[in-house]
Amino acid sequence: MAQGMESIVMIVLLVVVFYFFMIRPQQKRQKEIKKFREGLQNGDRVVTAGGIYGKIRGVKELAFVIEIANGVNITVDKNSVYPSAEVAASDAEGKEK
């Protein structure tokens, strides 16, 4: 009986540790990225998940219009825009795991 209870406690402890070291930091990072995306305005510099650097020229409900060269605009989904290449890379690593 004691051995079974010990196993249950270990499993619960493992789940708690997993939550605080893996799940919670990921949720926190996703909230920060979402807050960043909601605060973007015309003229802000961004990088897309595909590695395209540019300036925001228009904000739509689900997308941004980004100028990547003089007179060259592309429309990009809001979920694929990051403040820097480092943030884009770390988010991509999180999705692979």
Side-chain angles (χ1 to χ4, degrees):
M1 184 74 168
Q3 189 176 17
M5 197 62 111
E6 189 176 300
S7 297
I8 291 173
V9 169
M10 290 299 290
I11 290 172
V12 169
L13 184 64
L14 185 64
V15 168
V16 169
V17 168
F18 183 75
Y19 174 78
F20 280 105
F21 285 105
M22 300 292 287
I23 297 171
R24 191 164 177 241
Q26 178 67 23
Q27 288 175 339
K28 194 173 184 181
R29 183 171 46 214
Q30 286 175 340
K31 283 182 184 178
E32 290 172 1
I33 292 172
K34 183 179 179 183
K35 185 177 178 182
F36 164 78
R37 288 178 183 146
E38 290 172 355
L40 287 173
Q41 301 173 7
N42 287 345
D44 290 344
R45 294 193 165 277
V46 294
V47 62
T48 68
I52 300 171
Y53 289 80
K55 264 188 191 176
I56 295 180
R57 291 297 180 209
V59 179
K60 297 180 180 181
E61 187 177 337
L62 298 174
F64 292 113
V65 176
I66 300 177
E67 182 180 48
I68 57 175
N70 289 335
V72 180
N73 295 324
I74 59 173
T75 303
V76 179
D77 184 66
K78 282 187 175 183
N79 292 326
S80 63
V81 173
Y82 298 92
S84 67
E86 293 81 26
V87 174
S90 68
D91 191 45
E93 288 175 8
K95 287 181 182 177
E96 289 175 4
K97 292 181 181 178

